[in-house]
PDB file of all heavy atoms in Angstrom:
ATOM      1  N   ASP A 286      24.780  50.202  46.897  1.00 90.00           N
ATOM      2  CA  ASP A 286      25.716  51.130  46.265  1.00 90.00           C
ATOM      3  C   ASP A 286      26.133  50.543  44.912  1.00 90.00           C
ATOM      4  O   ASP A 286      26.902  49.580  44.841  1.00 90.00           O
ATOM      5  CB  ASP A 286      26.932  51.336  47.161  1.00 90.00           C
ATOM      6  CG  ASP A 286      27.919  52.344  46.577  1.00 90.00           C
ATOM      7  OD1 ASP A 286      27.630  52.912  45.509  1.00 90.00           O
ATOM      8  OD2 ASP A 286      28.981  52.555  47.196  1.00 90.00           O
ATOM      9  N   VAL A 287      25.616  51.126  43.818  1.00 88.00           N
ATOM     10  CA  VAL A 287      25.894  50.619  42.464  1.00 88.00           C
ATOM     11  C   VAL A 287      26.854  51.536  41.722  1.00 88.00           C
ATOM     12  O   VAL A 287      26.920  51.512  40.498  1.00 88.00           O
ATOM     13  CB  VAL A 287      24.577  50.471  41.661  1.00 88.00           C
ATOM     14  CG1 VAL A 287      23.691  49.413  42.266  1.00 88.00           C
ATOM     15  CG2 VAL A 287      23.850  51.806  41.575  1.00 88.00           C
ATOM     16  N   SER A 288      27.619  52.361  42.455  1.00 86.00           N
ATOM     17  CA  SER A 288      28.527  53.302  41.795  1.00 86.00           C
ATOM     18  C   SER A 288      29.592  52.577  40.978  1.00 86.00           C
ATOM     19  O   SER A 288      30.080  53.095  39.971  1.00 86.00           O
ATOM     20  CB  SER A 288      29.193  54.200  42.835  1.00 86.00           C
ATOM     21  OG  SER A 288      29.893  53.427  43.801  1.00 86.00           O
ATOM     22  N   MET A 289      29.959  51.366  41.393  1.00 80.00           N
ATOM     23  CA  MET A 289      30.939  50.599  40.630  1.00 80.00           C
ATOM     24  C   MET A 289      30.442  50.284  39.225  1.00 80.00           C
ATOM     25  O   MET A 289      31.217  50.267  38.261  1.00 80.00           O
ATOM     26  CB  MET A 289      31.247  49.292  41.374  1.00 80.00           C
ATOM     27  CG  MET A 289      32.246  48.370  40.693  1.00 80.00           C
ATOM     28  SD  MET A 289      31.532  47.291  39.408  1.00 80.00           S
ATOM     29  CE  MET A 289      30.313  46.390  40.332  1.00 80.00           C
ATOM     30  N   LEU A 290      29.139  50.097  39.103  1.00 79.00           N
ATOM     31  CA  LEU A 290      28.566  49.696  37.830  1.00 79.00           C
ATOM     32  C   LEU A 290      28.075  50.873  37.007  1.00 79.00           C
ATOM     33  O   LEU A 290      28.316  50.946  35.801  1.00 79.00           O
ATOM     34  CB  LEU A 290      27.408  48.714  38.073  1.00 79.00           C
ATOM     35  CG  LEU A 290      26.788  48.057  36.860  1.00 79.00           C
ATOM     36  CD1 LEU A 290      27.786  47.131  36.188  1.00 79.00           C
ATOM     37  CD2 LEU A 290      25.538  47.269  37.253  1.00 79.00           C
ATOM     38  N   THR A 291      27.392  51.805  37.644  1.00 81.00           N
ATOM     39  CA  THR A 291      26.750  52.895  36.914  1.00 81.00           C
ATOM     40  C   THR A 291      27.368  54.258  37.176  1.00 81.00           C
ATOM     41  O   THR A 291      27.081  55.203  36.453  1.00 81.00           O
ATOM     42  CB  THR A 291      25.259  52.965  37.278  1.00 81.00           C
ATOM     43  OG1 THR A 291      25.124  53.297  38.674  1.00 81.00           O
ATOM     44  CG2 THR A 291      24.581  51.627  37.010  1.00 81.00           C
ATOM     45  N   GLY A 292      28.204  54.369  38.218  1.00 80.00           N
ATOM     46  CA  GLY A 292      28.760  55.662  38.573  1.00 80.00           C
ATOM     47  C   GLY A 292      27.821  56.507  39.404  1.00 80.00           C
ATOM     48  O   GLY A 292      28.177  57.634  39.781  1.00 80.00           O
ATOM     49  N   GLU A 293      26.650  55.992  39.717  1.00 79.00           N
ATOM     50  CA  GLU A 293      25.672  56.747  40.511  1.00 79.00           C
ATOM     51  C   GLU A 293      26.127  56.787  41.962  1.00 79.00           C
ATOM     52  O   GLU A 293      26.389  55.747  42.580  1.00 79.00           O
ATOM     53  CB  GLU A 293      24.304  56.080  40.396  1.00 79.00           C
ATOM     54  CG  GLU A 293      23.190  56.870  41.052  1.00 79.00           C
ATOM     55  CD  GLU A 293      21.831  56.233  40.806  1.00 79.00           C
ATOM     56  OE1 GLU A 293      21.769  55.235  40.067  1.00 79.00           O
ATOM     57  OE2 GLU A 293      20.834  56.743  41.350  1.00 79.00           O
ATOM     58  N   SER A 294      26.238  57.981  42.516  1.00 79.00           N
ATOM     59  CA  SER A 294      26.774  58.132  43.866  1.00 79.00           C
ATOM     60  C   SER A 294      25.754  57.826  44.953  1.00 79.00           C
ATOM     61  O   SER A 294      26.137  57.496  46.078  1.00 79.00           O
ATOM     62  CB  SER A 294      27.314  59.553  44.050  1.00 79.00           C
ATOM     63  OG  SER A 294      26.271  60.505  43.837  1.00 79.00           O
ATOM     64  N   VAL A 295      24.467  57.925  44.650  1.00 86.00           N
ATOM     65  CA  VAL A 295      23.425  57.711  45.656  1.00 86.00           C
ATOM     66  C   VAL A 295      23.005  56.245  45.633  1.00 86.00           C
ATOM     67  O   VAL A 295      22.686  55.698  44.572  1.00 86.00           O
ATOM     68  CB  VAL A 295      22.209  58.615  45.373  1.00 86.00           C
ATOM     69  CG1 VAL A 295      21.119  58.379  46.406  1.00 86.00           C
ATOM     70  CG2 VAL A 295      22.637  60.077  45.355  1.00 86.00           C
ATOM     71  N   VAL A 297      20.870  52.848  45.720  1.00 89.00           N
ATOM     72  CA  VAL A 297      19.555  52.561  45.162  1.00 89.00           C
ATOM     73  C   VAL A 297      18.789  51.661  46.128  1.00 89.00           C
ATOM     74  O   VAL A 297      19.305  50.638  46.576  1.00 89.00           O
ATOM     75  CB  VAL A 297      19.689  51.873  43.782  1.00 89.00           C
ATOM     76  CG1 VAL A 297      18.315  51.517  43.219  1.00 89.00           C
ATOM     77  CG2 VAL A 297      20.454  52.776  42.819  1.00 89.00           C
ATOM     78  N   THR A 309      28.343  44.745  43.633  1.00 90.00           N
ATOM     79  CA  THR A 309      27.853  45.979  44.246  1.00 90.00           C
ATOM     80  C   THR A 309      27.788  45.793  45.758  1.00 90.00           C
ATOM     81  O   THR A 309      27.789  44.670  46.269  1.00 90.00           O
ATOM     82  CB  THR A 309      26.468  46.349  43.703  1.00 90.00           C
ATOM     83  OG1 THR A 309      25.563  45.246  43.877  1.00 90.00           O
ATOM     84  CG2 THR A 309      26.557  46.664  42.209  1.00 90.00           C
TER      85      THR A 309
END
Side-chain angles (χ1 to χ4, degrees):
D286 182 3
V287 295
S288 57
M289 179 277 301
L290 187 66
T291 64
E293 187 175 356
S294 59
V295 179
V297 178
T309 55

